[in-house]
Amino acid sequence: MERKESDIFPMEKALEMILMFDQKGTIFYGNTIAREKLEYENDLYGKNISDVFPNTFKNSEDGFETDFVFEDKVENIVAYRKNNTCFPVEAKIILSEELKDTYICMANDILEKEFLSREIEQVRQEAQQAAKVKSEFVANVTHELRTPVNGILGNVRELLSEEVEQRTEKGLRIIERCCGDMNKIINNILDFSKLEAGKFTFELCKFHFRNMLDYVKAQHINKITEKGLGFFMTVSPQVPEYIIGDELRIVQVLNNLLSNALKFTALGKITVEIFRTAQVNDKVELFFIVSDTGIGIDKTDKDKLFQSFSQVDASISRKYGGTGLGLNICKQLVELMGGRIEVESEKNKGSIFSFSIWVGVAEEDIALLQESDRKQSALSATFGIGDSNEDFDPVKEYGTRENQENLKRTLSKLILCVEMENWEKAEMFMETVKQLTEGAPREISRLILRLKMAIQKENYDKVVTEYKELTKVIEVK
Ligand code: ADP
């Protein structure tokens, strides 16, 4: 049967190249774009498919040989023009069911795409190289800066240890403080460039967790008292006594959050709470909440907060100082420690920063931890990992004062996590709420179930409604 172009007319206008060939590989149709791209005219007809795709098809006596898979699959192959120059194509070749013994090849010229992707790759590599050079430069400069600053600091301290005039002492104290501030900035820039260059490493060791917290507290308590602020730090008893982690870096994150809380709070209090939120073999997840009653952060500025060099606005940096690197470094450190950092804040009401990290527990301490969990399950129900089937547990026995207080605390943490859209943590607190309301009246169990479902669906509005209902009914004051 003689085939005419008009029979297959719609293909003529297709955007991709279309070729048709028979069992022998003889091309009997090529649409306009195929003829244009391959630079043939009507002399395309009668050519063999191996003339167009010589790397993919080989002409043989009884047709053609090929490894090409005739499926609904796209493969990258090379097409040759009449003048033997070539270009890459994405091609799909099928054996037509309607047109007997006919192969249909659909192909797109991807020369430009390949060219662009090669260009993009080159630009990417250049950018990477430039970033590396920049990071190395920053690392060198900051390192060089640190030496003279420490030189000045050392000399000033030596002079201060001697008897000096009151006026001189005042001046020396100012120099000492300035050097301290400069060191902080240098350290931040150094950390930032190391993190950016992916050269950051953690130094893990076993340390006493609560002693570390005492050390952190000691660094801030004078300023806190000077400002007349309240300070409360609570650690859930289920947090292990010793942990394995990079103490310096955990201190750094806490210090940064506390310094900010202190910097931006004139009245009220600062609170630090720490929980153990998960355990997998010898790893535990610790969850920290640092809240203040300071100037707060506008909703629209919240997203900018963890970006580098970002301060909420210029007037803030003028008034309070800072480089805007602190929170970005915290975010990167926390993420490298397997966790995440979040913020919830309201302008003029205060801010709540929370972060989680995964730390290790030494083999010899795991048994101790399990033992203390067992004991504590009778005292505290916060994130119970221990035995929850105690005969009588004043905390868990619904309706007791301890139970209601614990319920109140847990619900407030739960709603805080919801506010921060940390649904995973909210679900954990929900588990504790469920344990604490075992044996509660049916009306309450129903509300608990609804709250749980709203949390699982991550439906903020519904959670808030159910939470309000629940707190009304159980009268958590
Ligand atoms: P810096 O190193 O300059 O303190 P940070 O990254 O730690 O920078 O903080 C960035 C900005 O985030 C601060 O300049 C401030 O605008 C805002 N911010 C951080 N913590 C608080 C807080 N507790 N209360 C109000 N604003 C805060």
Side-chain angles (χ1 to χ4, degrees):
M1 182 183 82
E2 201 196 324
R3 292 176 176 100
K4 286 187 281 148
E5 253 170 42
S6 53
D7 292 338
I8 28 198
F9 180 68
M11 294 183 201
E12 209 43 39
K13 295 195 169 164
L15 291 175
E16 58 184 352
M17 296 163 43
I18 297 173
L19 294 170
M20 289 185 177
F21 54 98
D22 61 20
Q23 294 279 344
K24 290 249 177 232
T26 310
I27 299 171
F28 60 84
Y29 173 73
N31 66 351
T32 314
I33 185 106
R35 291 193 309 268
E36 264 175 31
K37 291 265 176 200
L38 298 169
E39 297 178 1
Y40 282 97
E41 290 177 8
N42 283 345
D43 52 345
L44 177 65
Y45 310 135
K47 285 277 168 198
N48 196 277
I49 195 67
S50 59
D51 294 323
V52 178
F53 303 118
N55 304 342
T56 316
F57 290 89
K58 294 272 172 279
N59 207 347
S60 75
E61 259 177 37
D62 38 304
F64 54 77
E65 284 170 18
T66 184
D67 291 334
F68 200 94
V69 188
F70 299 108
E71 271 176 14
D72 237 9
K73 218 173 97 194
V74 176
E75 277 190 44
N76 286 3
I77 57 175
V78 182
Y80 277 70
R81 299 185 188 93
K82 188 177 170 184
N83 64 6
N84 269 336
T85 55
C86 61
F87 60 98
V89 293
E90 276 176 347
K92 183 159 89 176
I93 304 177
I94 52 168
L95 182 59
S96 167
E97 282 172 16
E98 292 85 21
L99 306 171
K100 224 168 165 295
D101 300 339
T102 295
Y103 291 90
I104 306 173
C105 164
M106 289 146 278
N108 267 318
D109 178 354
I110 53 167
L111 185 64
E112 205 168 322
K113 198 166 130 190
E114 285 222 331
F115 180 71
L116 278 180
S117 73
R118 243 178 269 154
E119 252 193 3
I120 290 169
E121 176 56 18
Q122 195 180 344
V123 170
R124 198 183 63 83
Q125 277 182 9
E126 279 169 12
Q128 234 176 14
Q129 181 60 17
K132 202 171 149 237
V133 171
K134 189 192 79 187
S135 301
E136 277 168 7
F137 170 76
V138 173
N140 286 342
V141 170
T142 41
H143 188 74
E144 290 302 315
L145 274 174
R146 204 202 290 233
T147 319
V149 172
N150 283 339
I152 301 171
L153 198 58
N155 279 294
V156 167
R157 284 192 179 142
E158 205 169 308
L159 288 173
L160 276 169
S161 67
E162 291 161 14
E163 223 165 85
V164 283
E165 250 185 67
Q166 209 184 355
R167 241 190 64 208
T168 318
E169 185 185 336
K170 210 172 151 201
L172 288 173
R173 292 265 173 231
I174 292 173
I175 301 176
E176 187 189 23
R177 219 183 46 223
C178 290
C179 285
D181 289 347
M182 233 153 111
N183 256 339
K184 269 189 215 151
I185 295 171
I186 292 170
N187 286 341
N188 265 354
I189 298 176
L190 201 61
D191 280 349
F192 177 73
S193 71
K194 267 198 218 154
L195 284 162
E196 253 209 332
K199 279 194 192 151
F200 198 88
T201 47
F202 283 112
E203 278 171 33
L204 305 183
C205 65
K206 177 173 159 178
F207 64 92
H208 194 275
F209 187 71
R210 286 164 182 81
N211 282 358
M212 175 209 73
L213 292 177
D214 285 344
Y215 168 69
V216 171
K217 182 176 164 185
Q219 291 182 62
H220 300 276
I221 200 68
N222 283 347
K223 272 197 190 161
I224 292 175
T225 328
E226 261 170 41
K227 279 186 113 170
L229 300 172
F231 183 74
F232 304 93
M233 188 184 263
T234 47
V235 188
S236 150
Q238 296 200 324
V239 171
E241 206 164 322
Y242 286 92
I243 63 166
I244 299 172
D246 190 327
E247 183 175 9
L248 217 72
R249 298 306 178 177
I250 300 173
V251 167
Q252 183 176 349
V253 176
L254 273 173
N255 269 347
N256 204 301
L257 297 184
L258 276 174
S259 303
N260 281 348
L262 191 53
K263 192 160 37 164
F264 298 109
T265 309
L267 270 180
K269 62 178 182 183
I270 296 170
T271 320
V272 182
E273 290 164 281
I274 300 137
F275 307 90
R276 182 177 101 207
T277 40
Q279 176 166 7
V280 179
N281 304 327
D282 60 345
K283 298 268 179 294
V284 295
E285 185 191 45
L286 300 181
F287 184 53
F288 299 72
I289 302 175
V290 178
S291 37
D292 65 58
T293 51
I295 62 170
I297 301 151
D298 211 77
K299 271 211 158 33
T300 48
D301 292 322
K302 258 172 38 184
D303 297 338
K304 285 195 271 171
L305 223 54
F306 297 104
Q307 292 166 12
S308 44
F309 309 109
S310 154
Q311 283 169 323
V312 165
D313 68 44
S315 65
I316 286 188
S317 61
R318 275 195 299 277
K319 185 167 170 196
Y320 298 96
T323 54
L325 275 182
L327 285 177
N328 176 270
I329 294 173
C330 287
K331 179 173 187 279
Q332 298 199 55
L333 289 178
V334 163
E335 284 172 2
L336 284 174
M337 289 190 261
R340 57 184 201 183
I341 186 164
E342 273 139 1
V343 61
E344 177 54 36
S345 185
E346 205 176 323
K347 198 94 188 127
N348 301 322
K349 291 248 168 83
S351 311
I352 304 163
F353 284 83
S354 76
F355 68 94
S356 55
I357 51 169
W358 280 90
V359 293
V361 181
E363 220 179 282
E364 65 271 20
D365 296 328
I366 294 180
L368 279 175
L369 190 63
Q370 281 162 347
E371 172 67 6
S372 103
D373 279 350
R374 214 186 49 73
K375 280 189 195 146
Q376 276 155 20
S377 73
L379 294 167
S380 160
T382 318
F383 292 121
I385 291 165
D387 181 5
S388 56
N389 296 321
E390 298 278 331
D391 288 345
F392 173 72
D393 181 338
V395 177
K396 288 184 189 169
E397 191 74 5
Y398 186 77
T400 61
R401 194 174 55 81
E402 292 95 326
N403 168 280
Q404 295 291 293
E405 276 170 9
N406 217 338
L407 195 52
K408 174 183 159 185
R409 268 202 304 274
T410 316
L411 276 170
S412 74
K413 299 288 168 296
L414 180 146
I415 203 71
L416 176 70
C417 291
V418 171
E419 293 288 351
M420 290 196 273
E421 290 178 32
N422 190 338
W423 297 101
E424 197 189 318
K425 292 280 172 304
E427 264 191 59
M428 288 181 181
F429 281 111
M430 188 65 228
E431 255 330 287
T432 312
V433 169
K434 254 185 71 193
Q435 286 175 20
L436 288 169
T437 46
E438 252 167 50
R442 269 188 63 178
E443 180 195 11
I444 292 173
S445 311
R446 250 203 315 271
L447 283 171
I448 297 279
L449 193 68
R450 292 216 306 248
L451 179 62
K452 189 177 160 142
M453 275 160 62
I455 290 175
Q456 277 169 349
K457 286 187 188 147
E458 302 188 2
N459 182 336
Y460 176 84
D461 292 337
K462 192 131 181 51
V463 169
V464 173
T465 318
E466 298 300 346
Y467 172 80
K468 281 187 186 153
E469 276 295 299
L470 184 65
T471 46
K472 239 190 284 166
V473 181
I474 58 178
E475 287 176 9
V476 175
K477 292 188 190 80

